[in-house]
Amino acid sequence: MFRKILTKPEQIIFDVLTNQTLNDSFDLNQMAQKHMTPTDKIIRYIKNWLQQSTNTDWKNDFHLTKQHLYLRCSPARRLDLLAHLFQCNQSFQILHAIIEQPFATIKHLANNLYLSPSTVKRRIKKLSAWFTPYQIQVSLQHDPILKGCEFRIRWLCFIVSLTFDPPFNWFCRHELCRRFEDVQIQRLHYGQNLNALPIDKITLNYNFSFMISEKAWYYVVRQLFGLEETILSVKQFSFLTEEPTVTDFLVAYQEFLLNPSTHYEMTNLVAEN
């Protein structure tokens, strides 16, 4: 659901950062086929993106030839760049504001984001269209603005939280779990209690092998990050399923969290609790 929010050039950078997380060389011809865009236009998209003033700090991490793109940066820096990609996207900025202020008005959002009310309305309409297939509705007609599958909304809030306030250590399971717990507390504060909501509003008829409650949800999250004896794979979270490349990215990320030594030799990381 996140890729759809991005512009065409941003989607290309997104694909570089998520499709082949363990490689540093990308075939531009294959990328052109995927995007159904000529290779020279793909190169132009990337160059134009790197020349924007907000993106120049990342310029040295990219090296372009006529056929390949080389990305030279650490896994942590790639995740920082992924977060930066969304931070600069106007629709994602509005989504962040909606999550932080779920009962805001158009006027309030426009003032806080220094946008016109018409721009906010237009972006919200597009967000709603993008999220509809994922059982999330974005609308100001009824409170709160975000409605739909509570599990998906919590996952969305978690990703947005990491994007706009990146963790000090992307690879600390405890830190990520605490961020998920923060989202749980926030949703409870806004009246979205799993213990009280009807099942169809929580899951929209997804089938889960665990009891639906706040306590069970927190235990499942701890399983997701490998903090319990029984580990839960992201593939078992049907509501997290995205396009295959994003799913593969999430699987690789979880595998790294659980077995960091099997992927990269990381330096200067803060020890986990």
Side-chain angles (χ1 to χ4, degrees), residues 203-262:
T203 68
L204 292 186
N205 300 318
Y206 286 118
N207 293 319
F208 294 97
S209 59
F210 52 85
M211 182 176 64
I212 308 299
S213 69
E214 290 294 341
K215 187 175 181 179
W217 169 256
Y218 182 61
Y219 183 75
V220 166
V221 168
R222 288 181 59 81
Q223 287 180 300
L224 185 66
F225 291 111
L227 298 177
E228 297 293 340
E229 188 173 338
T230 304
I231 296 174
L232 184 67
S233 168
V234 292
K235 289 184 176 180
Q236 294 174 259
F237 269 23
S238 57
F239 60 93
L240 301 185
T241 303
E242 301 273 357
E243 58 182 287
T245 54
V246 176
T247 301
D248 291 343
F249 171 77
L250 293 174
V251 169
Y253 188 19
Q254 185 188 38
E255 288 178 352
F256 177 83
L257 289 173
L258 302 179
N259 304 287
S261 61
T262 62

Side-chain angles (χ1 to χ4, degrees), residues 9-230:
E10 290 170 343
Q11 287 181 1
I12 292 170
I13 303 297
F14 178 86
D15 289 342
V16 168
L17 296 170
T18 58
N19 285 1
Q20 302 179 47
T21 55
L22 301 184
N23 297 331
D24 59 7
S25 175
F26 305 91
D27 190 314
L28 293 175
N29 292 325
Q30 291 182 3
M31 192 179 296
Q33 292 176 7
K34 176 178 179 179
H35 288 270
M36 294 183 288
T37 303
T39 304
D40 59 343
K41 195 170 184 178
I42 293 288
I43 294 175
R44 188 161 64 251
Y45 275 142
I46 296 172
K47 285 183 176 180
N48 289 342
W49 185 86
L50 290 171
Q51 288 172 358
Q52 294 175 21
S53 59
T54 54
N55 305 325
T56 52
D57 287 346
W58 309 94
K59 196 170 183 178
N60 292 335
D61 297 309
F62 289 80
H63 176 66
L64 280 167
T65 68
K66 291 184 178 180
Q67 295 183 334
H68 289 86
L69 164 66
Y70 298 91
L71 181 63
R72 307 290 190 184
C73 59
S74 69
R77 185 164 171 79
R78 289 191 185 194
L79 289 169
D80 285 338
L81 174 52
L82 197 57
H84 168 78
L85 199 63
F86 286 98
Q87 289 171 8
C88 295
N89 181 275
Q90 192 177 83
S91 294
F92 212 76
Q93 291 169 0
I94 292 175
L95 176 62
H96 176 246
I98 288 171
I99 288 174
E100 292 297 307
Q101 305 166 56
F103 303 99
T105 63
I106 289 287
K107 182 179 180 180
H108 187 73
L109 292 170
N111 289 339
N112 282 5
L113 296 169
Y114 302 100
L115 298 172
S116 68
S118 60
T119 297
V120 174
K121 287 181 181 179
R122 186 169 61 252
R123 292 295 184 185
I124 286 179
K125 187 176 180 180
K126 287 186 177 181
L127 283 172
S128 183
W130 288 327
F131 288 159
T132 295
Y134 303 97
Q135 290 79 45
I136 295 177
Q137 182 186 4
V138 186
S139 171
L140 281 87
Q141 292 182 355
H142 304 285
D143 292 334
I145 299 174
L146 277 181
K147 313 166 189 64
C149 176
E150 179 62 18
F151 283 169
R152 280 191 180 274
I153 290 175
R154 291 190 182 200
W155 175 250
L156 177 64
C157 293
F158 172 65
I159 297 299
V160 173
S161 171
L162 293 181
T163 299
F164 280 87
D165 184 17
F168 181 75
N169 178 2
W170 284 101
F171 306 107
C172 176
R173 294 175 293 163
H174 295 277
E175 186 172 357
L176 295 177
C177 189
R178 280 194 294 268
R179 191 67 66 88
F180 231 124
E181 187 179 7
D182 289 343
V183 170
Q184 182 179 20
I185 294 170
Q186 181 190 56
R187 296 301 293 173
L188 285 169
H189 177 72
Y190 293 142
Q192 305 303 308
N193 191 326
L194 298 180
N195 299 337
L197 290 173
I199 294 296
D200 60 333
K201 289 188 177 181
I202 297 173
T203 68
L204 292 186
N205 300 318
Y206 286 118
N207 293 319
F208 294 97
S209 59
F210 52 85
M211 182 176 64
I212 308 299
S213 69
E214 290 294 341
K215 187 175 181 179
W217 169 256
Y218 182 61
Y219 183 75
V220 166
V221 168
R222 288 181 59 81
Q223 287 180 300
L224 185 66
F225 291 111
L227 298 177
E228 297 293 340
E229 188 173 338
T230 304

